[in-house]
Amino acid sequence: MPYKFLEDEAIADIAFEAEGKNLNDLFQSAAEATIVSMADPATIKNNITKIITKKANTIKELLFELIEEIIYLKDKDAIVFHSVTVEVNEEKKTCTATLTGDDINHETQALRNDVKAITMHYYTVEKTTDGWEAHIVLDI
Amino acid sequence: MINRNIELPKFERQGELIWDIPKNYKKGMNVPARIYATEKLLKDMDLAVFDQITNVACLPGIQSRAMCMPDGHSGYGFPIGGVAAFDLQEGVISPGGIGFDVNCGMRLVVTNLTYKDVKPNIKELVDLLFKKVPSGVGCKGFVDLTKDKFREVMQNGAKWCVDNCYGWKDDLAHIEDEGCIKHANPDKVSEKAINRGINQLGTLGSGNHYLEIQYAGQIFDKEAAAKLGIHNKDQICVMVHCGSRGFGHQVGTDYLKKFTEIMPSYGITVPDPELACAPFQSKEGQDYYHAMACAANMAFANRQVILHRIRECFSSVFGTTAEELNMNLVYDVAHNIAKIEKHNIEGKNKEVVVHRKGSTRCFGPSRTELAPIFRKIGQPVIVGGSMETGSYLLLGTDKAAETFGSTMHGSGRTMSRTQARKQTKGEKLQKDMEKRGIYVRTASYSGLAEEAGFAYKNINEVIETMDIAGISKKLVALKPIGNIKG
């Protein structure tokens, strides 16, 4: 699994580690862990498509901005997500994420947590010998 | 990947319930740290609490000592249960000392109904409340606001609600700061935060937020309880726990990022990125304070319009008016906030910025900020336990001056959400609770499992700690019979 939820951390919230052999994979893993924390994607139809484009000064900031924007869209447009794909330009420090999902429906969807923020609590994005890793805590 | 070698401090024990960590525990501490706890609660605290509270002690301008209440557990930057006061001129303001959910807080409403009156109707009542008070992921509120109206909410808090027929005039005297923090300036709030919050007025949210029907299980001081409208055992009350929703979180995120950028220009370094801060008197510090006040006022308004819905639901189920049911507000109090308050610091009366994160103001009778009724008995303090074990109404004391007028906010978690989900399923827990006389409706079964009673500390031990310490006194123990879990 490209992400792993951590049992012993952030006891009131959600912590996970994401990994990828490249930045596209890492960003996608982290974005998937975030949308899975909100709702079971298997119960969400892909009736809506949202595209997020972000630019930052560092890769670490870029991932933070992406996760923050996904959380923002959930509240602003009242939607939850079925899938996400991400493309990262390491040189330009930009990313484009394409999310599919649907309007929130408490009757038909398995909703989980109202994720409210990505935190800087032990927030790391690191290059490893096998690729990239990130440690993220979401405030719920 | 992360190094977390935290050394257990050598505590300097001050009596039965106070554990001090001296300034020499960690390089950079400006003041010592203090934990209020029984020996058992202290042993059960995760080590990160001690690391985090001693990090707080390193912040510029901190006064007297950094403190952690007995419900303490690790948070972001500050521990949950953290209290710190900063010099108004030399000190800082930090979103990490307030929490993302600005003015997350508690509200308690009394009725003249008894357990016997309500028990036969509990399913109808809880089902109706579940329908009428939106909860869960991305829920939209029942108050339609334009951006101009939302600005009025940010500036006026609960008063906006009362002016717009979402409450009774008398409610305001029963809310911390009458439900409106001064200095709120919507111009300091981002468009993003407004877009997140504009549809959220009148929503419970999720996580540990709830609306609970309770009865008075034990009254510890009949005379004082009667002054707050609680006259008998078995009397029905309603408790609400929620905050400023995504709106407050966005304000927190916006300024956390801003403070991270500008800290070096003020020569400030912090031991934890979640302690990012700005001098309180700097432009950025003042901007955050004014934006935080907007979020705090939105939270007061949120709990106020929810109270309006609770009154409507009781009125519908019991076929009479909320006035006839004496559905008066006992109190509403924040437990994630920063406030400018006067406190005695080393013998001098001084204005400071008190940060309370997972900690409740508990002023004693001598505090002039309190409404006349509370000048006789002290400020009511509402402490929510787990949905299985019950909650408490307390009173603040003048001895609380030693904690900058602060006490605990809840029972505090002992177990992660993932661990709790592994130990029970939401559907099973719901059935088990119903067998024990607690009818629960939830927007998320996994969320329900995460809030199981075993995931929390023993509320009685937490309450006793501050009662014996003389900081907040037990007034009424409240037992749940119906719960809406966000």
Side-chain angles (χ1 to χ4, degrees):
Chain A
M1 190 181 263
Y3 57 84
K4 180 175 72 177
F5 289 103
L6 306 170
E7 282 186 26
D8 299 325
E9 281 188 39
I11 59 174
D13 294 297
I14 293 174
F16 64 85
E17 283 174 353
E19 59 185 33
K21 59 183 183 299
N22 53 45
L23 280 176
N24 287 349
D25 289 351
L26 174 76
F27 275 52
Q28 182 145 337
S29 300
E32 278 176 4
T34 303
I35 68 171
V36 163
S37 298
M38 296 174 181
D40 179 357
T43 66
I44 313 295
K45 291 180 179 164
N46 51 5
N47 289 330
I48 297 170
T49 301
K50 293 280 175 186
I51 296 173
I52 298 171
T53 303
K54 285 283 164 189
K55 181 171 173 52
N57 294 320
T58 64
I59 292 298
K60 188 177 175 182
E61 283 177 20
L62 187 64
L63 182 57
F64 193 96
E65 292 284 330
L66 173 64
I67 302 299
E68 188 198 335
E69 192 71 15
I70 293 172
I71 296 165
Y72 168 67
L73 282 180
K74 179 262 300 168
D75 276 349
K76 175 179 157 279
D77 296 335
I79 53 176
V80 279
F81 305 101
H82 171 77
S83 68
V84 57
T85 54
V86 190
E87 284 185 25
V88 182
N89 185 322
E90 185 174 359
E91 196 182 330
K92 292 182 178 172
K93 313 277 188 304
T94 59
C95 71
T96 300
T98 305
L99 294 112
T100 67
D102 205 355
D103 294 326
I104 290 174
N105 184 325
H106 289 256
E107 302 297 320
T108 61
Q109 297 160 347
L111 302 169
R112 289 171 173 160
N113 295 289
D114 205 0
V115 177
K116 309 232 196 52
I118 174 174
T119 75
M120 291 184 187
H121 185 68
Y122 290 122
Y123 174 58
T124 58
V125 179
E126 290 171 356
K127 200 164 190 173
T128 66
T129 49
D130 298 323
W132 288 82
E133 284 182 355
H135 178 278
I136 292 175
V137 176
L138 302 175
D139 189 283
I140 61 164
Chain B
M1 154 161 90
I2 291 162
N3 177 18
R4 294 180 194 135
N5 294 321
I6 302 166
E7 192 184 331
L8 183 68
K10 285 180 184 160
F11 293 104
E12 292 177 357
R13 192 170 186 170
Q14 313 284 342
E16 193 185 351
L17 300 165
I18 293 175
W19 309 80
D20 282 348
I21 307 174
K23 270 170 68 175
N24 63 8
Y25 167 71
K26 181 183 283 182
K27 194 178 170 191
M29 283 174 69
N30 294 315
V31 293
R34 171 168 289 185
I35 318 279
Y36 285 83
T38 60
E39 197 159 2
K40 181 178 183 310
L41 287 172
L42 187 81
K43 274 184 186 167
D44 289 347
M45 281 180 184
D46 46 321
L47 280 175
V49 170
F50 312 129
D51 190 41
Q52 291 182 343
I53 199 64
T54 51
N55 285 342
V56 173
C58 299
L59 292 175
I62 187 167
Q63 303 290 295
S64 300
R65 57 181 72 85
M67 286 176 276
C68 186
M69 302 295 114
D71 53 341
H73 63 79
S74 59
Y76 312 133
F78 274 51
I80 308 301
V83 179
F86 297 89
D87 185 275
L88 217 53
Q89 302 306 320
E90 307 296 325
V92 295
I93 186 164
S94 172
I98 292 154
F100 282 95
D101 192 356
V102 175
N103 190 5
C104 187
M106 308 295 298
R107 177 170 281 229
L108 186 70
V109 189
V110 72
T111 74
N112 59 14
L113 298 165
T114 64
Y115 179 87
K116 277 186 185 169
D117 297 326
V118 173
K119 192 64 182 169
N121 300 295
I122 192 68
K123 285 192 178 179
E124 185 189 354
L125 183 60
V126 170
D127 288 348
L128 185 62
L129 284 163
F130 184 66
K131 194 173 155 191
K132 294 288 186 183
V133 182
S135 61
V137 178
C139 55
K140 282 188 174 177
F142 52 84
V143 183
D144 282 330
L145 294 170
T146 61
K147 284 194 177 175
D148 283 345
K149 289 284 177 199
F150 192 42
R151 285 174 70 92
E152 290 177 19
V153 171
M154 288 184 235
Q155 286 171 307
N156 299 310
K159 185 175 181 301
W160 181 89
C161 306
V162 172
D163 290 346
N164 286 273
C165 304
Y166 291 104
W168 301 344
K169 206 173 174 186
D170 286 352
D171 291 341
L172 298 179
H174 292 253
I175 306 174
E176 180 173 350
D177 286 0
E178 298 194 346
C180 180
I181 307 288
K182 289 176 191 165
H183 311 301
N185 182 352
D187 292 342
K188 304 303 176 187
V189 174
S190 72
E191 195 65 16
K192 237 177 166 177
I194 291 168
N195 288 340
R196 282 183 79 177
I198 196 163
N199 291 320
Q200 294 185 322
L201 195 64
T203 58
L204 267 183
S206 71
N208 61 353
H209 296 145
Y210 61 83
L211 187 164
E212 193 165 85
I213 316 290
Q214 306 167 333
Y215 66 93
Q218 191 175 356
I219 299 175
F220 300 94
D221 179 343
K222 284 190 175 176
E223 199 179 330
K227 285 192 167 74
L228 298 178
I230 301 177
H231 301 279
N232 301 303
K233 267 180 76 177
D234 290 349
Q235 196 171 332
I236 293 293
C237 299
V238 187
M239 185 175 280
V240 177
H241 176 215
C242 64
S244 50
R245 310 281 289 109
F247 178 64
H249 280 73
Q250 192 63 47
V251 169
T253 299
D254 291 342
Y255 281 91
L256 184 67
K257 289 196 291 188
K258 187 171 280 184
F259 287 3
T260 303
E261 268 176 43
I262 57 95
M263 267 195 309
S265 68
Y266 291 105
I268 299 173
T269 54
V270 289
D272 179 338
E274 283 281 341
L275 288 176
C277 56
F280 184 67
Q281 297 295 354
S282 67
K283 181 189 179 303
E284 295 86 355
Q286 286 294 296
D287 284 355
Y288 172 62
Y289 181 63
H290 296 152
M292 184 217 70
C294 290
N297 290 341
M298 187 275 191
F300 282 133
N302 192 29
R303 294 193 289 272
Q304 181 66 39
V305 298
I306 288 173
L307 167 60
H308 176 73
R309 270 285 155 97
I310 293 168
R311 285 172 172 156
E312 285 182 339
C313 291
F314 269 75
S315 177
S316 168
V317 170
F318 294 98
T320 185
T321 64
E323 287 84 352
E324 286 294 321
L325 293 169
N326 284 345
M327 295 190 71
N328 297 311
L329 182 57
V330 174
Y331 207 65
D332 178 307
V333 68
H335 53 229
N336 275 3
I337 203 155
K339 307 270 295 281
I340 299 173
E341 293 170 359
K342 274 187 184 167
H343 288 280
N344 189 308
I345 311 281
E346 288 154 13
K348 288 183 186 166
N349 216 16
K350 186 173 175 179
E351 273 198 323
V352 285
V353 191
V354 179
H355 290 53
R356 297 190 182 95
K357 182 182 183 180
S359 168
T360 315
R361 193 184 77 170
C362 73
F363 282 174
S366 70
R367 296 292 305 211
T368 54
E369 297 94 328
L370 298 181
I373 177 181
F374 307 125
R375 295 293 308 277
K376 295 183 180 115
I377 56 175
Q379 177 213 304
V381 174
I382 304 157
V383 178
S386 81
M387 61 186 178
E388 293 189 77
T389 54
S391 302
Y392 278 87
L393 176 64
L394 317 172
L395 288 174
T397 71
D398 284 331
K399 190 167 187 290
E402 72 183 51
T403 56
F404 304 119
S406 313
T407 191
M408 84 297 274
H409 85 304
S411 47
R413 288 189 76 93
T414 57
M415 182 183 289
S416 74
R417 293 184 175 278
T418 313
Q419 286 171 321
R421 275 202 313 275
K422 279 189 174 176
Q423 292 200 20
T424 191
K425 298 284 176 214
E427 292 88 339
K428 182 181 180 304
L429 183 62
Q430 186 184 41
K431 282 177 188 160
D432 289 349
M433 286 177 68
E434 191 169 349
K435 282 180 197 162
R436 283 181 275 128
I438 308 167
Y439 179 63
V440 186
R441 290 293 306 270
T442 180
S444 161
Y445 281 111
S446 60
L448 183 68
E450 292 168 8
E451 292 297 317
F454 58 72
Y456 283 86
K457 294 179 192 180
N458 180 340
I459 181 76
N460 298 324
E461 191 166 356
V462 172
I463 295 289
E464 285 294 339
T465 301
M466 296 311 262
D467 189 272
I468 294 167
I471 305 294
S472 49
K473 301 304 285 182
K474 287 184 294 184
L475 187 63
V476 182
L478 297 152
K479 299 291 176 192
I481 56 169
N483 185 297
I484 289 157
K485 167 70 202 62

